[in-house]
Amino acid sequence: DGGITQSPKYLFRKEGQNVTLSCEQNLNHDAMYWYRQDPGQGLRLIYYSQIVNDFQKGDIAEGYSVSREKKESFPLTVTSAQKNPTAFYLCASSISTSGGPTDTQYFGPGTRLTVL
Amino acid sequence: GQQLNQSPQSMFIQEGEDVSMNCTSSSIFNTWLWYKQDPGEGPVLLIALYKAGELTSNGRLTAQFGITRKDSFLNISASIPSDVGIYFCAGPYAYSGAGSYQLTFGKGTKLSVIP
């Protein structure tokens, strides 16, 4: 089955620790994205990558870092610099970012991060 | 980023009733997407619209791409308890300074169905 997987589903960390969230896709999509969702809020873009070995900051990149060494994988690290890291994190992918139908994004199941 | 205004913010309806929600923008969009998010899960694509005036159905769901290209509507007929969730509209816009398009999302319509 083609799709996007995120792991783990739930993650608990102590304040001050870095934590890495996994995102893998087997859809052969070039573009991948990370979003943050807070209760009652919409989706806010953290980082995105249009192609391997390239990534761009989104609207709320501070305190986060990413890498894109493989087409299938786009891990997100929540660093200790992120002041309010507890949230629901969503990964997505699309064929492209060209402004047309191939921009349709498909989402993973999400990771809920709780920092204690 | 670009703003999409989605309404209503929440709805409480009786099982069997029809539901309507809409999304508007001050700018033109070439694509409108409708997603549903179940609690604790990622959004799932329901319907994608690619042409002004297009009317597309997916089971009990029907969505329309407004003729002005600045709005879209989603209707759910004969609601059932599993329709509960948050419905998001989204559309691609030119992301400033990066030479790419990103999706902007409405804040969602939270649907509750009373059995």
Side-chain angles (χ1 to χ4, degrees), chain A residues 79-92:
Chain A
T79 75
S80 56
Q82 168 51 233
K83 295 191 188 329
N84 187 17
T86 295
F88 190 50
Y89 290 88
L90 287 161
C91 179

Side-chain angles (χ1 to χ4, degrees), chain A residues 9 33 37 48 58-59 97 105, chain B residues 35 37 40 95 98 100-102:
Chain A
K9 182 69 173 173
Y33 313 80
Q37 187 178 31
Y48 67 99
D59 299 320
T97 60
Q105 292 182 18
Chain B
Y35 291 88
Q37 184 177 30
Y95 200 60
S100 72
Y101 284 77
Q102 295 301 319

Side-chain angles (χ1 to χ4, degrees), chain A residues 27-75:
Chain A
L27 299 168
N28 200 32
H29 285 174
D30 281 322
M32 297 186 74
Y33 313 80
W34 275 104
Y35 293 91
R36 171 181 172 137
Q37 187 178 31
D38 294 287
Q41 301 291 317
L43 279 65
R44 293 188 288 169
L45 183 64
I46 304 173
Y47 267 98
Y48 67 99
S49 168
Q50 294 175 263
I51 200 164
V52 175
N53 292 323
D54 183 65
F55 48 83
Q56 306 290 337
K57 292 182 179 180
D59 299 320
I60 56 165
E62 186 176 349
Y64 299 98
S65 66
V66 293
S67 63
R68 186 87 186 276
E69 296 176 4
K70 297 187 300 181
K71 188 174 186 176
E72 303 79 19
S73 179
F74 191 40

Side-chain angles (χ1 to χ4, degrees), chain B residues 43 45 59 93:
Chain B
L45 182 69
Y93 73 102

Side-chain angles (χ1 to χ4, degrees), chain B residues 18-90:
Chain B
D18 297 343
V19 173
S20 289
M21 60 190 79
N22 70 78
C23 201
T24 61
S25 169
S26 57
S27 301
I28 288 172
F29 280 79
N30 292 321
T31 297
W32 282 96
L33 305 170
W34 284 93
Y35 291 88
K36 182 195 177 195
Q37 184 177 30
D38 290 330
E41 299 295 329
V44 173
L45 182 69
L46 296 174
I47 292 179
L49 302 161
Y50 302 124
K51 191 176 174 182
E54 181 181 357
L55 185 72
T56 297
S57 293
N58 178 7
R60 293 178 296 105
L61 277 61
T62 301
Q64 184 159 24
F65 192 142
I67 197 72
T68 65
R69 293 163 65 190
K70 292 184 178 182
D71 57 8
S72 180
F73 305 86
L74 177 69
N75 296 317
I76 305 172
S77 63
S79 59
I80 59 178
S82 62
D83 290 334
V84 165
I86 303 176
Y87 293 79
F88 291 99
C89 60

